[in-house]
Amino acid sequence: MIEANGLTKRYGRTLAVNDLTFTVQAGRVTGFLGPNGAGKSTTMRMILGLDRPTAGGVRIDGKRYTDLKEPLRHVGALLDAKWVHPNRSARAHLRWLAVSNKLPDKRVDEVLGLVGLTDVANRRAGGYSLGMSQRLGIAGALLGDPGVMLFDEPVNGLDPEGILWIRQFMHRLADEGRTVFVSSHLLSEMALTAQDLVVIGRGRLIAQTSTRAFIDAASGSSVRVRGPELDRLREVMASGGLKADDTPATAEGPAALVVHGATTDAVGELAGRAGLVLHELAAQRGSLEQAFIQMTGGDVEYRTGDPALAPVAGAPSVAGAPVGVPGQPGEAPASQWTGTPAAARKADAR
Amino acid sequence: MTALTLLKVERIKLFSTRSPWWCMGAAVFITVGFTALLAATIRPGDLGDLTPATTQFSYNFGFLIMMVMAILAITTEYRFGTIRATFLAVPNRVDALLAKTAVVALLAGLVGEAAGVGAWALSKAIRPEAPLALDNAQDYRVVVGVGLVYMVAAVVAVSIGLLIRHSAGAITALLIWVLVAENLLPAIPRVGDTIQKWLPFTVGNNFLYAGQQVGQDNDATPTNMPFGAWGSLLYFAVVALALLALAVGLAKRRDA
């Protein structure tokens, strides 16, 4: 488990990381999501004791990294696959790491086998492809069989095969009960890799939640429904108090209705009671990209101002605590996400 | 983590790349080779000048090469990010850096011995008739003591590397200090002579040459130095350790 508490890093007048508080649970893959320059790498370096926080602190299983004895046995990290001397062989690189934490030499061969580098272990690391370097970095992280693992942008620049390999690897690590914390600016990648998310923008915490809740809350819940009698369907929805919009036929499918603020259960029951035939009934999930842009609002460096991305109900609470929305006290939050981004920002400004 | 473990780590790191091997080979070969050239070509009439002290006068060659190696041992770690890997494996930065300094200094000392004794022995083999016998403490000091000067110089070099953290910048700073500053500062009128007596490398050199004149009008070894031979070495070592303390202290506080 990783616990960050009020973590802050200031470079001159720039606040790279601003009062960040979050926890990363064991046995799950937790994504650390944010646009480039949001402070993800700085945060990871502070977790590992490489950078000194200006304020606040971070503990790994209750201890500061620098207080760990033989830290590679507790924490494995891959921050940059290029942190290897190009003229040193992979085996020599892993060997000095192993010796430093009193790990047996045979563990070096084990991890080389785990990442599939056994055949090239004696070649100089400078000649490795990016994918091979990444595997070597992972081998180094696995060396001490640690319970906590950190990866900074591990799929950057990898080919599809490498990405798939890393993704499956992370899941395996989490299934073994380890704490896996992986950063990325690739939202779609995180949707596939991470079960939980810690989202930051411009150094501030935007959200800590499950990946599912993040998308649900941000995109709102809508249901796509289609049948032979669209007009009657629309009337039935209206009589049930649900607002339905027409979507014309596109290349992706024939004309249908999109029902907002409803579940497939509710829509299906309404249609069933009216005795209507349905050809399609599906929950529409927004993409993580959409969710991210809505959640981060002003914290994203470059915005398009596209009205399609205008706020809908559901926006981030700050630092995990629900933010009350003025004027809507009775609304029960579906998740910890309540209010609009504007309200959230206002609340944050207080 | 015990000191022995850390020394082993640094030893593996140093010897698992090729450049230290090249530096060590070059340092010994050039230093010994230059002396051998001198011994082989000296005029018979000057044979009396070929003393143990003379065989060491080219020690600067290997000495500079080993200092460059010492700088690279630390700056390449910053260049390639392996210093961060090191600090992840050994969060106690002071211990990790002192272990590196110790390994590099020890190696420089051994290379210095090989170059010093090698230069003397080869000269003796080439010119058995020259007055090259080691007759007194002074003779022993100048031949066998070279390794100690290499060792202290390596500590200075590691400190410079640790302070500047870039290979080119650190090597330039070192060369300016050793080759330019220590030669030009004594030229300042009135205070130059006093300054010279306290310049670290000049004092370090005095450890080898205290009490004897090498060649004629050799300005590099001034007379009436503040310390005797061993005092000079001590002063040189204290300067090196002070610089090391500053560099390690700074590395501990800075972001890696």
Side-chain angles (χ1 to χ4, degrees), chain A residues 9 11 48-52 65-66 70-72 82-88 92 95-97 99-102, chain B residues 1-2 5 8-9 12-13 16-18 76 80-82 84-91 93 252-256:
Chain A
K9 181 71 183 179
Y11 296 108
L48 295 168
L50 290 176
D51 285 8
R52 186 182 279 258
Y65 187 89
T66 47
E70 295 174 355
L72 300 186
K82 291 288 167 198
W83 287 357
V84 179
H85 195 297
N87 290 329
R88 196 174 280 141
R95 201 165 154 254
W96 76 255
L97 282 174
V99 168
S100 71
N101 278 242
K102 292 205 170 66
Chain B
M1 268 160 263
T2 63
T5 305
K8 189 178 175 193
V9 167
I12 296 173
K13 270 159 73 175
S16 55
T17 60
R18 257 170 305 174
T76 53
F80 297 120
T82 48
R84 294 180 199 101
T86 303
F87 291 161
L88 286 184
V90 187
R93 297 184 186 185
K252 193 185 170 197
R253 280 202 299 118
R254 291 204 274 206
D255 292 337

CSV table of all heavy atoms in Angstrom, one decimal, chain A residues 9 11 48-52 65-66 70-72 82-88 92 95-97 99-102, chain B residues 1-2 5 8-9 12-13 16-18 76 80-82 84-91 93 252-256:
chain,number,residue,atom,x,y,z
A,9,LYS,N,5.7,19.5,-4.2
A,9,LYS,CA,7.0,19.8,-4.8
A,9,LYS,C,7.0,21.1,-5.5
A,9,LYS,O,6.2,21.3,-6.4
A,9,LYS,CB,7.5,18.6,-5.7
A,9,LYS,CG,8.9,18.8,-6.3
A,9,LYS,CD,9.9,18.6,-5.2
A,9,LYS,CE,11.3,18.9,-5.8
A,9,LYS,NZ,12.3,18.7,-4.7
A,11,TYR,N,9.4,23.9,-7.6
A,11,TYR,CA,10.6,24.2,-8.2
A,11,TYR,C,10.6,25.7,-8.4
A,11,TYR,O,9.9,26.2,-9.3
A,11,TYR,CB,10.8,23.6,-9.6
A,11,TYR,CG,10.9,22.1,-9.5
A,11,TYR,CD1,9.8,21.3,-9.9
A,11,TYR,CD2,12.0,21.4,-9.1
A,11,TYR,CE1,9.9,19.9,-9.9
A,11,TYR,CE2,12.1,20.1,-9.0
A,11,TYR,CZ,11.1,19.3,-9.4
A,11,TYR,OH,11.2,17.9,-9.4
A,48,LEU,N,9.8,7.4,-4.2
A,48,LEU,CA,11.0,6.5,-4.2
A,48,LEU,C,12.2,7.2,-3.5
A,48,LEU,O,13.3,6.7,-3.5
A,48,LEU,CB,11.4,6.1,-5.6
A,48,LEU,CG,10.3,5.2,-6.2
A,48,LEU,CD1,10.6,5.0,-7.7
A,48,LEU,CD2,10.3,3.8,-5.5
A,49,GLY,N,11.9,8.4,-2.9
A,49,GLY,CA,13.0,9.0,-2.2
A,49,GLY,C,14.1,9.6,-3.1
A,49,GLY,O,15.1,10.0,-2.6
A,50,LEU,N,13.8,9.7,-4.4
A,50,LEU,CA,14.8,10.3,-5.3
A,50,LEU,C,14.8,11.9,-5.2
A,50,LEU,O,15.8,12.5,-5.2
A,50,LEU,CB,14.7,9.9,-6.7
A,50,LEU,CG,15.0,8.4,-7.0
A,50,LEU,CD1,14.7,8.1,-8.4
A,50,LEU,CD2,16.5,8.1,-6.7
A,51,ASP,N,13.5,12.4,-5.2
A,51,ASP,CA,13.3,13.8,-5.0
A,51,ASP,C,12.8,14.1,-3.6
A,51,ASP,O,12.0,13.3,-3.1
A,51,ASP,CB,12.3,14.3,-6.1
A,51,ASP,CG,13.0,14.4,-7.4
A,51,ASP,OD1,14.1,13.9,-7.6
A,51,ASP,OD2,12.3,15.0,-8.3
A,52,ARG,N,13.2,15.2,-3.1
A,52,ARG,CA,12.8,15.6,-1.7
A,52,ARG,C,11.5,16.4,-1.8
A,52,ARG,O,11.5,17.5,-2.4
A,52,ARG,CB,14.0,16.4,-1.2
A,52,ARG,CG,13.9,16.7,0.3
A,52,ARG,CD,15.1,17.6,0.6
A,52,ARG,NE,16.3,16.7,0.8
A,52,ARG,CZ,16.7,16.5,2.0
A,52,ARG,NH1,16.2,17.0,3.1
A,52,ARG,NH2,17.8,15.7,2.2
A,65,TYR,N,10.5,5.4,2.0
A,65,TYR,CA,11.4,4.6,1.1
A,65,TYR,C,12.8,4.5,1.7
A,65,TYR,O,13.5,3.5,1.7
A,65,TYR,CB,11.4,5.1,-0.3
A,65,TYR,CG,12.1,4.2,-1.3
A,65,TYR,CD1,11.5,3.1,-1.9
A,65,TYR,CD2,13.5,4.3,-1.5
A,65,TYR,CE1,12.1,2.3,-2.7
A,65,TYR,CE2,14.2,3.4,-2.3
A,65,TYR,CZ,13.5,2.4,-2.9
A,65,TYR,OH,14.2,1.5,-3.8
A,66,THR,N,13.3,5.7,2.1
A,66,THR,CA,14.7,5.8,2.5
A,66,THR,C,15.0,5.1,3.8
A,66,THR,O,16.1,4.9,4.2
A,66,THR,CB,15.1,7.3,2.6
A,66,THR,OG1,14.1,8.0,3.4
A,66,THR,CG2,15.3,7.9,1.3
A,70,GLU,N,17.3,-2.9,2.5
A,70,GLU,CA,17.3,-3.6,1.3
A,70,GLU,C,16.0,-3.4,0.5
A,70,GLU,O,15.1,-4.2,0.4
A,70,GLU,CB,17.5,-5.1,1.6
A,70,GLU,CG,18.9,-5.4,2.2
A,70,GLU,CD,19.1,-6.8,2.7
A,70,GLU,OE1,18.1,-7.6,2.6
A,70,GLU,OE2,20.2,-7.1,3.0
A,71,PRO,N,15.8,-2.1,0.1
A,71,PRO,CA,14.6,-1.7,-0.5
A,71,PRO,C,14.1,-2.5,-1.7
A,71,PRO,O,12.9,-2.6,-1.9
A,71,PRO,CB,14.8,-0.2,-0.8
A,71,PRO,CG,16.3,-0.1,-0.9
A,71,PRO,CD,16.8,-1.1,0.1
A,72,LEU,N,15.0,-3.1,-2.5
A,72,LEU,CA,14.5,-3.8,-3.7
A,72,LEU,C,13.7,-5.0,-3.3
A,72,LEU,O,12.9,-5.5,-4.1
A,72,LEU,CB,15.7,-4.2,-4.5
A,72,LEU,CG,16.6,-3.1,-5.0
A,72,LEU,CD1,17.7,-3.7,-6.0
A,72,LEU,CD2,15.8,-2.0,-5.7
A,82,LYS,N,15.8,3.5,-19.7
A,82,LYS,CA,17.2,3.9,-20.1
A,82,LYS,C,18.2,4.1,-19.0
A,82,LYS,O,19.3,4.5,-19.2
A,82,LYS,CB,17.1,5.1,-21.0
A,82,LYS,CG,16.4,4.9,-22.3
A,82,LYS,CD,17.3,4.1,-23.3
A,82,LYS,CE,16.5,3.6,-24.5
A,82,LYS,NZ,17.1,2.4,-25.2
A,83,TRP,N,17.8,3.8,-17.8
A,83,TRP,CA,18.7,4.0,-16.6
A,83,TRP,C,19.6,2.8,-16.5
A,83,TRP,O,19.7,2.1,-15.5
A,83,TRP,CB,17.9,4.2,-15.3
A,83,TRP,CG,17.3,5.5,-15.2
A,83,TRP,CD1,17.4,6.5,-16.1
A,83,TRP,CD2,16.4,6.0,-14.2
A,83,TRP,NE1,16.6,7.6,-15.7
A,83,TRP,CE2,16.0,7.3,-14.5
A,83,TRP,CE3,15.9,5.4,-13.0
A,83,TRP,CZ2,15.2,8.0,-13.7
A,83,TRP,CZ3,15.1,6.1,-12.2
A,83,TRP,CH2,14.8,7.4,-12.5
A,84,VAL,N,20.3,2.5,-17.6
A,84,VAL,CA,21.3,1.4,-17.7
A,84,VAL,C,22.5,1.9,-18.4
A,84,VAL,O,22.3,2.7,-19.4
A,84,VAL,CB,20.7,0.2,-18.4
A,84,VAL,CG1,21.7,-0.9,-18.5
A,84,VAL,CG2,19.4,-0.3,-17.8
A,85,HIS,N,23.7,1.6,-18.0
A,85,HIS,CA,24.9,2.0,-18.7
A,85,HIS,C,24.9,1.3,-20.0
A,85,HIS,O,24.8,0.0,-20.1
A,85,HIS,CB,26.1,1.7,-17.9
A,85,HIS,CG,27.4,2.4,-18.4
A,85,HIS,ND1,27.8,2.2,-19.7
A,85,HIS,CD2,28.1,3.4,-17.9
A,85,HIS,CE1,28.9,2.9,-19.9
A,85,HIS,NE2,29.1,3.7,-18.8
A,86,PRO,N,25.0,2.0,-21.2
A,86,PRO,CA,24.8,1.3,-22.5
A,86,PRO,C,25.9,0.3,-22.7
A,86,PRO,O,25.7,-0.6,-23.5
A,86,PRO,CB,24.9,2.5,-23.5
A,86,PRO,CG,25.5,3.6,-22.7
A,86,PRO,CD,25.1,3.4,-21.3
A,87,ASN,N,27.1,0.4,-22.1
A,87,ASN,CA,28.2,-0.5,-22.3
A,87,ASN,C,28.2,-1.7,-21.3
A,87,ASN,O,29.1,-2.5,-21.3
A,87,ASN,CB,29.5,0.2,-22.3
A,87,ASN,CG,29.7,1.1,-23.6
A,87,ASN,OD1,29.1,0.8,-24.6
A,87,ASN,ND2,30.4,2.2,-23.4
A,88,ARG,N,27.2,-1.7,-20.5
A,88,ARG,CA,27.1,-2.8,-19.5
A,88,ARG,C,26.1,-3.8,-20.0
A,88,ARG,O,25.1,-3.5,-20.5
A,88,ARG,CB,26.7,-2.2,-18.2
A,88,ARG,CG,27.0,-3.1,-17.0
A,88,ARG,CD,26.7,-2.4,-15.7
A,88,ARG,NE,27.7,-1.5,-15.3
A,88,ARG,CZ,27.5,-0.3,-14.7
A,88,ARG,NH1,26.3,0.1,-14.5
A,88,ARG,NH2,28.6,0.4,-14.3
A,92,ALA,N,25.2,-8.0,-16.1
A,92,ALA,CA,26.1,-7.3,-15.2
A,92,ALA,C,25.2,-6.2,-14.5
A,92,ALA,O,25.4,-6.0,-13.3
A,92,ALA,CB,27.2,-6.6,-15.9
A,95,ARG,N,23.2,-7.9,-11.9
A,95,ARG,CA,24.1,-8.5,-10.9
A,95,ARG,C,24.4,-7.5,-9.8
A,95,ARG,O,24.4,-7.8,-8.7
A,95,ARG,CB,25.3,-9.1,-11.6
A,95,ARG,CG,25.9,-10.1,-10.7
A,95,ARG,CD,26.9,-11.0,-11.3
A,95,ARG,NE,27.7,-11.4,-10.1
A,95,ARG,CZ,28.9,-10.9,-9.9
A,95,ARG,NH1,29.5,-10.1,-10.7
A,95,ARG,NH2,29.6,-11.3,-8.8
A,96,TRP,N,24.8,-6.2,-10.3
A,96,TRP,CA,25.2,-5.3,-9.2
A,96,TRP,C,23.9,-4.9,-8.4
A,96,TRP,O,24.0,-4.7,-7.2
A,96,TRP,CB,25.9,-4.1,-9.7
A,96,TRP,CG,25.2,-3.0,-10.5
A,96,TRP,CD1,25.2,-2.8,-11.8
A,96,TRP,CD2,24.4,-1.9,-10.0
A,96,TRP,NE1,24.5,-1.7,-12.2
A,96,TRP,CE2,23.9,-1.2,-11.0
A,96,TRP,CE3,24.0,-1.6,-8.7
A,96,TRP,CZ2,23.1,0.0,-10.9
A,96,TRP,CZ3,23.2,-0.5,-8.5
A,96,TRP,CH2,22.8,0.3,-9.6
A,97,LEU,N,22.8,-4.8,-9.1
A,97,LEU,CA,21.6,-4.6,-8.3
A,97,LEU,C,21.3,-5.7,-7.3
A,97,LEU,O,21.0,-5.4,-6.1
A,97,LEU,CB,20.4,-4.5,-9.3
A,97,LEU,CG,20.2,-3.1,-10.0
A,97,LEU,CD1,19.1,-3.3,-11.0
A,97,LEU,CD2,20.0,-2.0,-9.1
A,99,VAL,N,23.5,-7.8,-5.9
A,99,VAL,CA,24.5,-7.8,-4.8
A,99,VAL,C,24.2,-6.7,-3.8
A,99,VAL,O,24.3,-6.9,-2.6
A,99,VAL,CB,25.9,-7.6,-5.4
A,99,VAL,CG1,26.9,-7.3,-4.3
A,99,VAL,CG2,26.3,-8.8,-6.2
A,100,SER,N,23.7,-5.5,-4.3
A,100,SER,CA,23.5,-4.4,-3.4
A,100,SER,C,22.4,-4.7,-2.4
A,100,SER,O,22.4,-4.2,-1.3
A,100,SER,CB,23.1,-3.2,-4.2
A,100,SER,OG,21.8,-3.3,-4.7
A,101,ASN,N,21.5,-5.6,-2.7
A,101,ASN,CA,20.4,-6.0,-1.8
A,101,ASN,C,20.5,-7.4,-1.3
A,101,ASN,O,19.5,-8.0,-0.9
A,101,ASN,CB,19.0,-5.7,-2.4
A,101,ASN,CG,18.6,-4.2,-2.2
A,101,ASN,OD1,17.7,-3.9,-1.6
A,101,ASN,ND2,19.4,-3.3,-2.9
A,102,LYS,N,21.7,-8.0,-1.4
A,102,LYS,CA,22.0,-9.3,-1.0
A,102,LYS,C,21.1,-10.3,-1.5
A,102,LYS,O,20.6,-11.2,-0.8
A,102,LYS,CB,22.0,-9.4,0.6
A,102,LYS,CG,23.1,-8.6,1.2
A,102,LYS,CD,23.4,-9.2,2.6
A,102,LYS,CE,24.7,-8.6,3.2
A,102,LYS,NZ,24.6,-7.2,3.5
B,1,MET,N,23.1,-2.5,5.0
B,1,MET,CA,24.0,-2.8,4.0
B,1,MET,C,25.5,-2.6,4.5
B,1,MET,O,25.8,-1.5,5.0
B,1,MET,CB,23.8,-2.0,2.7
B,1,MET,CG,22.9,-2.7,1.8
B,1,MET,SD,22.2,-1.5,0.7
B,1,MET,CE,20.6,-1.2,1.4
B,2,THR,N,26.2,-3.6,4.4
B,2,THR,CA,27.6,-3.5,4.9
B,2,THR,C,28.5,-2.8,3.9
B,2,THR,O,28.2,-2.8,2.8
B,2,THR,CB,28.2,-4.9,5.3
B,2,THR,OG1,28.3,-5.6,4.0
B,2,THR,CG2,27.3,-5.6,6.2
B,5,THR,N,29.6,-5.0,1.1
B,5,THR,CA,28.7,-5.2,0.0
B,5,THR,C,28.7,-4.0,-0.9
B,5,THR,O,28.8,-4.2,-2.2
B,5,THR,CB,27.2,-5.3,0.6
B,5,THR,OG1,27.2,-6.3,1.6
B,5,THR,CG2,26.2,-5.5,-0.4
B,8,LYS,N,31.7,-4.1,-3.1
B,8,LYS,CA,31.6,-5.1,-4.2
B,8,LYS,C,30.7,-4.5,-5.3
B,8,LYS,O,31.0,-4.7,-6.5
B,8,LYS,CB,31.0,-6.4,-3.6
B,8,LYS,CG,31.0,-7.5,-4.5
B,8,LYS,CD,30.4,-8.8,-3.9
B,8,LYS,CE,30.4,-9.9,-4.9
B,8,LYS,NZ,29.6,-11.1,-4.4
B,9,VAL,N,29.6,-3.9,-4.9
B,9,VAL,CA,28.7,-3.3,-5.9
B,9,VAL,C,29.4,-2.3,-6.8
B,9,VAL,O,29.4,-2.4,-8.1
B,9,VAL,CB,27.5,-2.6,-5.2
B,9,VAL,CG1,26.7,-1.7,-6.2
B,9,VAL,CG2,26.6,-3.5,-4.6
B,12,ILE,N,31.8,-4.1,-9.2
B,12,ILE,CA,31.1,-4.7,-10.3
B,12,ILE,C,30.8,-3.6,-11.3
B,12,ILE,O,31.0,-3.8,-12.5
B,12,ILE,CB,29.8,-5.5,-9.9
B,12,ILE,CG1,30.2,-6.6,-9.0
B,12,ILE,CG2,29.0,-5.9,-11.1
B,12,ILE,CD1,28.9,-7.3,-8.4
B,13,LYS,N,30.3,-2.5,-10.8
B,13,LYS,CA,29.8,-1.4,-11.7
B,13,LYS,C,31.0,-0.9,-12.5
B,13,LYS,O,31.0,-0.7,-13.8
B,13,LYS,CB,29.2,-0.3,-10.9
B,13,LYS,CG,27.7,-0.5,-10.8
B,13,LYS,CD,27.2,0.3,-9.6
B,13,LYS,CE,27.1,1.8,-9.8
B,13,LYS,NZ,26.4,2.4,-8.6
B,16,SER,N,32.5,-3.6,-15.1
B,16,SER,CA,31.6,-4.2,-16.1
B,16,SER,C,31.4,-3.3,-17.3
B,16,SER,O,30.6,-3.5,-18.2
B,16,SER,CB,30.2,-4.6,-15.5
B,16,SER,OG,29.6,-3.5,-14.9
B,17,THR,N,32.2,-2.2,-17.3
B,17,THR,CA,32.2,-1.4,-18.6
B,17,THR,C,33.7,-1.3,-19.0
B,17,THR,O,34.6,-1.7,-18.2
B,17,THR,CB,31.7,0.1,-18.3
B,17,THR,OG1,32.5,0.7,-17.3
B,17,THR,CG2,30.3,0.1,-17.9
B,18,ARG,N,33.9,-0.9,-20.3
B,18,ARG,CA,35.2,-1.1,-20.8
B,18,ARG,C,36.1,0.1,-20.5
B,18,ARG,O,37.4,0.0,-20.4
B,18,ARG,CB,35.2,-1.3,-22.3
B,18,ARG,CG,35.4,-2.8,-22.6
B,18,ARG,CD,35.1,-3.0,-24.1
B,18,ARG,NE,33.8,-2.5,-24.4
B,18,ARG,CZ,33.3,-2.5,-25.6
B,18,ARG,NH1,34.0,-2.9,-26.7
B,18,ARG,NH2,32.0,-2.1,-25.9
B,76,THR,N,29.2,9.6,-15.6
B,76,THR,CA,28.5,8.7,-16.4
B,76,THR,C,27.2,8.2,-15.7
B,76,THR,O,26.2,7.9,-16.3
B,76,THR,CB,29.3,7.6,-17.0
B,76,THR,OG1,29.9,6.9,-15.9
B,76,THR,CG2,30.4,8.0,-17.9
B,80,PHE,N,23.7,8.6,-17.6
B,80,PHE,CA,22.9,7.5,-18.0
B,80,PHE,C,21.8,7.1,-17.0
B,80,PHE,O,21.0,6.2,-17.1
B,80,PHE,CB,23.7,6.2,-18.2
B,80,PHE,CG,24.7,6.4,-19.4
B,80,PHE,CD1,26.0,6.2,-19.2
B,80,PHE,CD2,24.2,6.7,-20.6
B,80,PHE,CE1,26.9,6.4,-20.2
B,80,PHE,CE2,25.1,6.9,-21.7
B,80,PHE,CZ,26.5,6.7,-21.5
B,81,GLY,N,21.7,7.9,-15.9
B,81,GLY,CA,20.6,7.7,-14.9
B,81,GLY,C,20.9,6.5,-14.0
B,81,GLY,O,20.0,6.2,-13.1
B,82,THR,N,22.0,5.9,-14.1
B,82,THR,CA,22.3,4.8,-13.2
B,82,THR,C,22.5,5.2,-11.7
B,82,THR,O,22.4,4.4,-10.8
B,82,THR,CB,23.5,4.0,-13.6
B,82,THR,OG1,24.6,4.8,-13.9
B,82,THR,CG2,23.2,3.2,-14.9
B,84,ARG,N,20.4,7.1,-10.2
B,84,ARG,CA,19.1,6.9,-9.6
B,84,ARG,C,18.9,5.5,-9.3
B,84,ARG,O,18.3,5.1,-8.2
B,84,ARG,CB,18.0,7.5,-10.5
B,84,ARG,CG,18.2,9.0,-10.7
B,84,ARG,CD,17.1,9.6,-11.6
B,84,ARG,NE,17.6,10.9,-12.0
B,84,ARG,CZ,18.1,11.1,-13.2
B,84,ARG,NH1,18.2,10.1,-14.1
B,84,ARG,NH2,18.6,12.3,-13.5
B,85,ALA,N,19.3,4.6,-10.2
B,85,ALA,CA,19.1,3.1,-9.9
B,85,ALA,C,20.0,2.8,-8.7
B,85,ALA,O,19.5,2.0,-7.8
B,85,ALA,CB,19.6,2.3,-11.1
B,86,THR,N,21.1,3.4,-8.6
B,86,THR,CA,22.0,3.2,-7.4
B,86,THR,C,21.3,3.7,-6.1
B,86,THR,O,21.2,2.9,-5.1
B,86,THR,CB,23.3,3.9,-7.5
B,86,THR,OG1,23.9,3.5,-8.7
B,86,THR,CG2,24.2,3.7,-6.3
B,87,PHE,N,20.7,4.9,-6.1
B,87,PHE,CA,20.0,5.4,-5.0
B,87,PHE,C,18.7,4.6,-4.6
B,87,PHE,O,18.3,4.6,-3.5
B,87,PHE,CB,19.7,6.9,-5.1
B,87,PHE,CG,21.0,7.8,-5.1
B,87,PHE,CD1,21.0,9.0,-5.6
B,87,PHE,CD2,22.2,7.3,-4.6
B,87,PHE,CE1,22.1,9.8,-5.6
B,87,PHE,CE2,23.3,8.1,-4.6
B,87,PHE,CZ,23.3,9.3,-5.1
B,88,LEU,N,18.1,4.0,-5.7
B,88,LEU,CA,17.0,3.2,-5.4
B,88,LEU,C,17.4,1.9,-4.7
B,88,LEU,O,16.7,1.4,-3.7
B,88,LEU,CB,16.2,2.8,-6.7
B,88,LEU,CG,15.4,3.9,-7.3
B,88,LEU,CD1,14.7,3.4,-8.6
B,88,LEU,CD2,14.4,4.5,-6.4
B,89,ALA,N,18.5,1.4,-5.1
B,89,ALA,CA,19.0,0.1,-4.4
B,89,ALA,C,19.7,0.4,-3.1
B,89,ALA,O,19.6,-0.4,-2.2
B,89,ALA,CB,20.0,-0.6,-5.4
B,90,VAL,N,20.3,1.6,-3.0
B,90,VAL,CA,21.0,1.9,-1.7
B,90,VAL,C,20.5,3.4,-1.4
B,90,VAL,O,21.2,4.3,-1.7
B,90,VAL,CB,22.5,1.9,-1.9
B,90,VAL,CG1,23.2,2.2,-0.6
B,90,VAL,CG2,23.0,0.6,-2.5
B,91,PRO,N,19.4,3.5,-0.6
B,91,PRO,CA,18.9,4.8,-0.3
B,91,PRO,C,19.9,5.7,0.5
B,91,PRO,O,19.8,6.9,0.5
B,91,PRO,CB,17.6,4.6,0.4
B,91,PRO,CG,17.3,3.2,0.1
B,91,PRO,CD,18.6,2.4,-0.1
B,93,ARG,N,22.6,7.6,0.5
B,93,ARG,CA,23.5,8.1,-0.6
B,93,ARG,C,24.9,8.3,-0.1
B,93,ARG,O,25.8,8.1,-0.9
B,93,ARG,CB,22.9,9.4,-1.0
B,93,ARG,CG,21.6,9.3,-1.6
B,93,ARG,CD,21.1,10.6,-2.2
B,93,ARG,NE,19.7,10.5,-2.6
B,93,ARG,CZ,19.1,11.5,-3.3
B,93,ARG,NH1,19.6,12.6,-3.5
B,93,ARG,NH2,17.8,11.3,-3.6
B,252,LYS,N,23.6,14.6,-1.3
B,252,LYS,CA,22.5,14.1,-0.4
B,252,LYS,C,21.3,14.9,-0.4
B,252,LYS,O,20.2,14.4,-0.3
B,252,LYS,CB,23.1,14.0,1.0
B,252,LYS,CG,22.3,13.2,2.0
B,252,LYS,CD,22.9,13.2,3.4
B,252,LYS,CE,21.9,12.6,4.4
B,252,LYS,NZ,22.1,13.0,5.7
B,253,ARG,N,21.5,16.2,-0.5
B,253,ARG,CA,20.4,17.2,-0.4
B,253,ARG,C,19.7,17.3,-1.7
B,253,ARG,O,18.5,17.6,-1.8
B,253,ARG,CB,20.9,18.5,0.1
B,253,ARG,CG,21.0,18.6,1.6
B,253,ARG,CD,21.0,20.0,2.1
B,253,ARG,NE,22.0,20.8,1.6
B,253,ARG,CZ,21.8,21.9,0.8
B,253,ARG,NH1,20.6,22.3,0.6
B,253,ARG,NH2,22.8,22.6,0.3
B,254,ARG,N,20.5,17.3,-2.8
B,254,ARG,CA,19.9,17.5,-4.1
B,254,ARG,C,19.0,16.4,-4.6
B,254,ARG,O,19.1,15.3,-4.2
B,254,ARG,CB,21.0,17.7,-5.2
B,254,ARG,CG,21.8,19.0,-5.0
B,254,ARG,CD,22.5,19.5,-6.2
B,254,ARG,NE,23.8,18.8,-6.5
B,254,ARG,CZ,24.7,19.4,-7.2
B,254,ARG,NH1,24.5,20.6,-7.8
B,254,ARG,NH2,25.9,18.8,-7.4
B,255,ASP,N,18.0,16.8,-5.5
B,255,ASP,CA,17.2,15.7,-6.2
B,255,ASP,C,18.1,14.9,-7.1
B,255,ASP,O,18.9,15.5,-7.8
B,255,ASP,CB,16.1,16.4,-7.0
B,255,ASP,CG,15.1,17.0,-6.0
B,255,ASP,OD1,15.0,16.6,-4.9
B,255,ASP,OD2,14.4,17.9,-6.5
B,256,ALA,N,18.0,13.6,-7.1
B,256,ALA,CA,18.8,12.8,-7.9
B,256,ALA,C,18.3,12.8,-9.4
B,256,ALA,O,17.2,13.0,-9.6
B,256,ALA,CB,18.8,11.4,-7.4
